[in-house]
Amino acid sequence: MSQASQRSAVFLAEMGIAPRWKLRQHADALQDEVQDAAAVDAEVLSEMPAGVPHAAETAHAAPVPSAPQAAAPVVQPAAPVAVPPAVVPAAAAPDDSTAWFDDAPTPAVAAAPAPIRAPASPSQPAAQRPAAPRPPAPPLDDSTAWFDDAPMPAPAPARAPAAAAPAAGPVSDAAIAAMDWPQLQAAVKSCTRCELCHSRKAAVPGRGDLHAQWLVLAAAPSAADEADAAAGGNAGPLSAEAGTLLDNMLKAVDLSTAEGAYIGTLVKCRPTAADGSERAPSADEVAACRPFLDRELELSGARLLLAIGHPAGKGLLGAAARGKVLRYDGRPTVATYHPADLLRRPEDKGKAWADLCLARSAHAGRL
């Protein structure tokens, strides 16, 4: 090492500043410079008087006051920022001059970095905490001593039987006499005034003009009429072929069920024998349904009754009376053949036509 380099090293050591290290191209040159610096330090120390502390020792001995360590706030770790790699400057040519030192600022003492505390781990949710260990199940006991002291359960009180819903009684004559058409039709469908309500499939209300001049009356609904009513139909009495023939008979005297004629029955349910065949209604059955007929006459205002078939004439008047004008409740009444009988005996249609002409004259007041 040159003498100038040795003086620079001694000066830097006296000032407590490490010697300036320069990057060398080869590791051997660096090692030689380190060894030279150590030799200079040893030579300077040997020449200094005893008892005088060396500046370097003073610098090493004096504790560097550290900055107060304040509790670093818990900071969530930030996303890593990419730092560009440091550019290593090219190696400078060796220079023994110390002119660079005159303008170089004195380096500040670096404060000790505050320790970074690890972020506190969040408290574990209660749902993920391990469940407390369950106490061991008691051993099974086959003893039945517990049963000896167990109280006997009180007998359950007997429940009172549910009160049966009161059965709807038959509609009275006075109630029927105060009904309008919709109420009367509904009362017919739910009638329980005679035993026919137990054997019928459905009751059959009348059909036709509600302000009729003639009330055409059969004895009872047929099997076809009952089947239609049971299926929810509104064909009414005298349907099918017999009803078609009756419509033609009424048309011959300028009447129809749409205007001028209403078709009903003495009894509203189909009477059947024990073998299921049709039969004529009994006197009790006719009497039970008589209030419905009377109300139909009142509501329609009919001025004449045409009884079709022998059972209808007998049930209404007590005897068959073809060819005559009789009276029911002051109204002229004429009996004739049932259309079903005329389909079986077409030769009687002439007689039926004579009966219709008689009824037309009676309605006109000429008889």
Side-chain angles (χ1 to χ4, degrees), residues 21-320:
W21 301 98
K22 298 183 178 180
L23 183 62
R24 306 296 183 182
Q25 291 183 349
H26 303 287
D28 295 340
L30 277 177
Q31 186 68 24
D32 293 342
E33 188 171 352
V34 171
Q35 292 177 359
D36 292 343
V40 171
D41 290 343
E43 181 180 354
V44 171
L45 291 175
S46 63
E47 294 177 358
M48 292 182 64
V52 179
H54 192 268
E57 293 178 358
T58 306
H60 290 293
V64 179
S66 60
Q69 297 181 356
V74 177
V75 180
Q76 296 293 335
V81 180
V83 179
V87 180
V88 180
D95 186 9
D96 294 336
S97 174
T98 58
W100 62 271
F101 178 77
D102 298 336
D103 300 329
T106 303
V109 180
I116 299 176
R117 295 183 180 180
S121 59
S123 58
Q124 187 176 6
Q128 298 180 357
R129 293 179 182 175
R134 295 183 180 179
L140 297 176
D141 186 8
D142 296 335
S143 174
T144 59
W146 60 271
F147 183 81
D148 300 334
D149 299 331
M152 294 294 293
R159 295 183 178 180
V171 62
S172 64
D173 294 356
I176 295 174
M179 292 179 179
D180 56 13
W181 276 117
Q183 293 171 340
L184 186 65
Q185 299 283 342
V188 167
K189 294 179 180 180
S190 61
C191 177
T192 57
R193 290 173 58 91
C194 70
E195 295 299 321
L196 291 179
C197 65
H198 301 297
S199 60
R200 74 185 179 203
K201 294 180 181 178
V204 182
R207 66 181 177 92
D209 186 3
L210 300 182
H211 302 284
Q213 302 176 29
W214 288 23
L215 195 149
V216 183
L217 190 66
S222 65
D225 301 337
E226 184 184 53
D228 177 78
N234 297 315
L238 277 83
S239 59
E241 294 182 2
T244 302
L245 179 56
L246 178 61
D247 291 341
N248 291 334
M249 293 168 64
L250 293 174
K251 187 177 180 180
V253 291
D254 299 327
L255 295 173
S256 68
T257 54
E259 184 178 359
Y262 181 89
I263 302 174
T265 52
L266 275 177
V267 295
K268 310 303 180 183
C269 301
R270 174 174 171 255
T272 55
D275 59 355
S277 59
E278 293 182 359
R279 61 172 178 84
S282 65
D284 292 340
E285 294 166 353
V286 171
C289 274
R290 183 62 60 92
F292 292 118
L293 172 62
D294 293 340
R295 189 57 181 165
E296 287 173 334
L297 286 170
E298 291 293 333
L299 289 174
S300 65
R303 298 166 51 191
L304 182 136
L305 278 82
L306 180 67
I308 52 177
H310 179 77
K314 184 177 181 179
L316 180 64
L317 302 172

